[in-house]
Amino acid sequence: MTVDWDYFISDSGKRWQPSAIRGLFPLEKLPGTVSLLAGKPNAETFPFSSITVSLKPLIPGDEPEQLVVESDALTEGLQYGPTAGLAGVVKWLENLQETRHKRVKDGSWKVSVGSGSQDLINKAFCSLVNPGDSILLETPVYPGTLGLLKQHDVNLMEIPVDDAGLRPDLLEDTLANWSTKYPGKRFPKLLYTIPTGSNPTGCSSPLERRKKILALVRQYNLLLLEDDAYHYLSFDPDNITPTYFELEATEGDGETGRVVRFDSFSKILSSGMRLGFLTAAKPLVDIVDLNTSNTNLQPSSTTQAIVLVLLNKWGLDGFFAHTRRVAAFYKSKRDMFEAIAHKHLDGLATWVTPDSGMFLFLNLNLTKDGSPGDSSELISTTAVQKGVLAVPGVGFLPNGGKSSCVRVSFSLATEEDAELAFARLRECILEARGEL
């Protein structure tokens, strides 16, 4: 079965038209062309002569290395730029995706840069979702995605996760029995999942499970939105599970185009730079780019120019070496944090040991009889009064409800922070159980 993009693209996505100005930008590159096209400010008026950034030394005590953005690269970085990202950045990312995910650059897929991956996730949903649509979401799920989806008139259909991520048996049961389970509701077209170090659970889906889910996506004519912000934070970088974007080219009949992949530089370079990238079939990326060209025009060229100098210095090998260092840093944080959690919370909470990401998702034992508890009031009121902040589990449920879980982050925590936080959280749980 080939992907029918007329079926998947939303009505609003089909209404986007090329910008009267930006739609002509590619013609400026024709040899001999004199462009009077865009109202680009003259670079001579820009007050910057260069941008210099210093890199942290790999070996403590070494002199920091400086990278400079100047001349034509600076002019390009300070000017209006291409909608999908600076050409050098897009090419570098295409090479990254080809190498990392073993996907030949055959023209069927494209990369587009956005103002963080959330920007691109939002635009992808806008390109694919009509009012009344049903969206399949692994649950619990990242609340940022819930926030943007709740602006659409859609049905959020929950597919629970376990310790190994999204459950294919429940996904298959939902799809196979849709008309019985959800009479009158539109059959879904989209499945959203965070397959590596999921936010909030920390779960990662193993290879065989991913293969089963991909097979169901094909069988039931779905698109799979692979939000993989924690891919490069995998704590065992020598044994990273192949991504859905990789698997779709090698599994089954090798049909491609159903996986819509989102990556982020936020966790590995800088969250404030707001750079993410979408990799997907050309028809969808083209619609997303039309959205960008008519709304925020482009991601920041200046930020891209700085990042490109760094990426070109590193090359792919240097980039992978950097991500290994970042992953090792967070693995050390996880080990420290989890050890202190066990010290204070064994018997009072359970959780999955994450193999990627920044979070523990604690299932609190709030009742003596083992009945389900609700962490919302406890975390929002009692814990705050005792001086510890965390996110109640209800915030990760697409349709609300009760949850005994709480998400805690170890990304910034020191040992002292962890000791104080878990000691205070222990008190909260014991109070809820009537044991203090």
Side-chain angles (χ1 to χ4, degrees):
M1 180 185 296
T2 58
V3 178
D4 177 6
W5 287 102
D6 187 65
Y7 168 71
F8 284 108
I9 299 298
S10 67
D11 293 339
S12 62
K14 292 172 183 175
R15 287 196 293 267
W16 285 117
Q17 296 294 320
S19 164
I21 298 172
R22 285 189 160 257
L24 300 175
F25 270 13
L27 300 180
E28 292 186 316
K29 297 186 179 299
L30 293 176
T33 297
V34 176
S35 177
L36 305 177
L37 180 63
K40 296 180 180 180
N42 194 303
E44 291 185 13
T45 68
F46 298 156
F48 306 97
S49 61
S50 66
I51 297 175
T52 302
V53 295
S54 296
L55 300 181
K56 295 176 181 176
L58 294 179
I59 301 174
D62 282 3
E63 289 294 319
E65 187 173 358
Q66 291 190 330
L67 300 179
V68 182
V69 184
E70 57 188 349
S71 304
D72 291 345
L74 179 65
T75 299
E76 182 182 41
L78 295 175
Q79 186 58 270
Y80 288 124
T83 298
L86 296 183
V89 173
V90 171
K91 182 178 180 180
W92 203 98
L93 294 175
E94 287 174 345
N95 291 336
L96 172 66
Q97 301 301 65
E98 180 182 36
T99 301
R100 185 68 169 195
H101 308 289
K102 303 178 179 64
R103 288 293 297 268
V104 176
K105 288 188 286 185
D106 58 4
S108 66
W109 56 271
K110 292 176 62 177
V111 169
S112 186
V113 181
S115 299
S117 60
Q118 181 115 345
D119 171 47
L120 294 163
I121 292 169
N122 181 47
K123 288 172 179 172
F125 276 123
C126 288
S127 302
L128 296 168
V129 171
N130 284 316
D133 277 358
S134 302
I135 313 297
L136 300 168
L137 300 164
E138 66 174 34
T139 304
V141 70
Y142 171 52
T145 299
L146 297 180
L148 62 90
L149 279 176
K150 287 183 183 295
Q151 300 307 306
H152 296 268
D153 177 20
V154 294
N155 305 304
L156 303 181
M157 317 305 294
E158 302 180 7
I159 307 295
V161 305
D162 60 16
D163 290 359
L166 179 67
R167 288 183 55 177
D169 58 329
L170 297 182
L171 174 63
E172 183 171 23
D173 180 63
T174 296
L175 293 168
N177 300 290
W178 183 268
S179 59
T180 301
K181 287 176 172 289
Y182 305 109
K185 291 190 183 296
R186 197 173 296 164
F187 192 81
K189 298 187 294 183
L190 307 179
L191 169 65
Y192 173 87
T193 181
I194 304 175
T196 308
S198 179
N199 182 358
T201 65
C203 301
S204 295
S205 296
L207 178 59
E208 289 306 312
R209 183 168 288 202
R210 295 188 191 201
K211 289 180 179 180
K212 291 178 182 177
I213 290 170
L214 180 60
L216 290 170
V217 165
R218 287 170 167 163
Q219 179 182 347
Y220 287 96
N221 193 25
L222 308 176
L223 296 182
L224 187 151
L225 278 63
E226 180 179 33
D227 184 358
D228 217 2
Y230 302 97
H231 172 77
Y232 289 106
L233 267 59
S234 296
F235 300 146
D236 185 5
D238 293 321
N239 295 288
I240 294 178
T241 305
T243 63
Y244 285 111
F245 186 64
E246 176 180 340
L247 288 173
E248 74 166 345
T250 58
E251 286 300 307
D253 60 5
E255 177 209 43
T256 61
R258 294 191 179 276
V259 175
V260 181
R261 180 174 175 80
F262 304 94
D263 283 278
S264 175
F265 279 148
S266 291
K267 313 303 186 293
I268 52 178
L269 293 184
S270 162
S271 52
M273 282 185 159
R274 305 309 305 133
L275 286 180
F277 48 106
L278 160 70
T279 311
K282 183 179 182 299
L284 175 58
V285 178
D286 286 345
I287 297 293
V288 169
D289 286 345
L290 286 175
N291 183 325
T292 298
S293 70
N294 283 281
T295 54
N296 61 314
L297 304 185
Q298 62 176 86
S300 167
S301 293
T302 308
T303 300
Q304 291 179 76
I306 295 171
V307 168
L308 183 58
V309 171
L310 177 62
L311 295 178
N312 284 337
K313 170 189 163 43
W314 277 344
L316 288 175
D317 288 344
F319 174 79
F320 293 140
H322 170 75
T323 60
R324 282 173 172 265
R325 291 190 293 271
V326 174
F329 173 88
Y330 285 113
K331 180 179 184 298
S332 177
K333 283 282 189 184
R334 178 207 65 181
D335 292 346
M336 172 275 293
F337 197 72
E338 188 174 33
I340 296 173
H342 279 299
K343 173 183 171 182
H344 291 281
L345 298 182
D346 276 355
L348 298 176
T350 57
W351 60 88
V352 174
T353 297
D355 59 12
S356 182
M358 299 177 170
F359 310 107
L360 299 185
F361 199 53
L362 309 176
N363 189 357
L364 308 183
N365 300 328
L366 297 175
T367 61
K368 289 183 178 180
D369 62 6
S371 59
D374 185 2
S375 69
S376 184
E377 180 70 18
L378 179 81
I379 298 302
S380 300
T381 302
T382 307
V384 173
Q385 292 170 351
K386 291 184 181 294
V388 59
L389 299 178
V391 186
V394 67
F396 304 92
L397 301 180
N399 297 303
K402 292 184 178 181
S403 171
S404 59
C405 295
V406 55
R407 192 196 77 176
V408 291
S409 174
F410 52 80
S411 60
L412 300 178
T414 63
E415 287 190 40
E416 181 181 12
D417 292 335
E419 287 282 1
L420 284 171
F422 286 127
R424 292 167 180 174
L425 188 56
R426 176 184 177 84
E427 286 186 16
C428 294
I429 299 170
L430 291 175
E431 284 187 12
R433 293 169 58 89
E435 296 180 5
L436 273 186

